[in-house]
Every structure is written in C-alpha cells, then in structure tokens.
Amino acid sequence: MKAAQLIMRRLGLLLVVLFIVSVLTFVIVNVLPGDVANAILGDLGTPAQVVVALRRQMGLDLPLLTRYWAWIAGLLCGDFGQSLQFGLPIAPMLLGRLRNSAILGAITLLIAVPTAVLLGGRAAGPAD
C-alpha cells in the first residue's frame, strides 16, 4: 500500500511542477519586449493597422489568462501551434527530433547501465 501512496504523491508533485513550468514559460514569453506580430511582420508592420490586424488574428489582443488557458487546452489536445520561423506545425517537427533523442537515450542506457552495474559491483567488493 505504501508503494501506491508514494506513486500517487509523486504523480501529484509531477502535475504541480508541470503547471508551474507552464505558467513560468508562458509568462516569460509574454513579458519579453515586442510581440510575435512585430517579429513576423518585421519592416512590413510599420502601419499600425497591419500590426493590430495580425495581433487580432493571432489572439494577442485577448487577456493574458484567456491566452494561457487556450494555450494549455491546445497542448492537452496535441496542438502545439505553428513554428514562427518555418510556418509549419510544431508537432511533426518535435516527433522527428524526439526519435533522434530516443535513439541517443537508448545508446546512452546501453553504455551507462552495464558500466554502472560493473563499477557498483566492483566498489562493493567480494561477497563474504
């Protein structure tokens, strides 16, 4: 029974940490000077009407909490948004990189686990 309680407590802490990280990430991105509309438009965004229209289209004119909840809802539904640099959906881009990271992690485990077991056995010394 204690193992189940420990697992539930750890999962609860994981959810709290994920929530805090998501809030901090969202706030930091929104506190930075400038906004996405100006970054996308660059020199073309000089007329105020164009910038205002793009902000409205991207939802940047909505209150911060409304944008945060929309962002979280999108993440929970698997919608990671679009890349500002490439204009492509982020999810397929992440999956390609996730595959490479998984391969690297597997290779690391294949090296680290046997090495750790070997060194741990060596450090423990012979069993008497």
Side-chain angles (χ1 to χ4, degrees):
M1 191 65 171
K2 287 189 179 244
Q5 289 176 342
L6 177 66
I7 290 171
M8 293 305 290
R9 190 167 13 134
R10 295 290 179 157
L11 286 174
L13 286 173
L14 173 70
L15 291 175
V16 170
V17 168
L18 285 175
F19 175 73
I20 291 171
V21 167
S22 75
V23 169
L24 287 175
T25 301
F26 190 80
V27 168
I28 288 171
V29 166
N30 283 286
V31 169
L32 292 173
D35 64 2
V36 179
N38 284 330
I40 289 175
L41 292 175
D43 293 336
L44 301 174
T46 327
Q49 292 176 337
V50 175
V51 175
V52 169
L54 185 59
R55 283 188 182 136
R56 188 177 311 117
Q57 177 187 351
M58 298 181 75
L60 296 173
D61 59 340
L62 299 172
L64 192 64
L65 278 177
T66 305
R67 290 187 314 188
Y68 174 73
W69 288 117
W71 180 64
I72 288 294
L75 286 178
L76 293 175
C77 293
D79 178 16
F80 294 101
Q82 286 195 326
S83 167
L84 298 177
Q85 184 176 7
F86 302 111
L88 300 171
I90 291 177
M93 295 170 61
L94 280 177
L95 288 177
R97 287 166 177 80
L98 184 62
R99 185 179 55 102
N100 293 338
S101 296
I103 291 169
L104 182 62
I107 292 170
T108 303
L109 280 175
L110 287 174
I111 295 170
V113 170
T115 304
V117 169
L118 229 150
L119 291 175
R122 182 111 173 138
D128 289 331

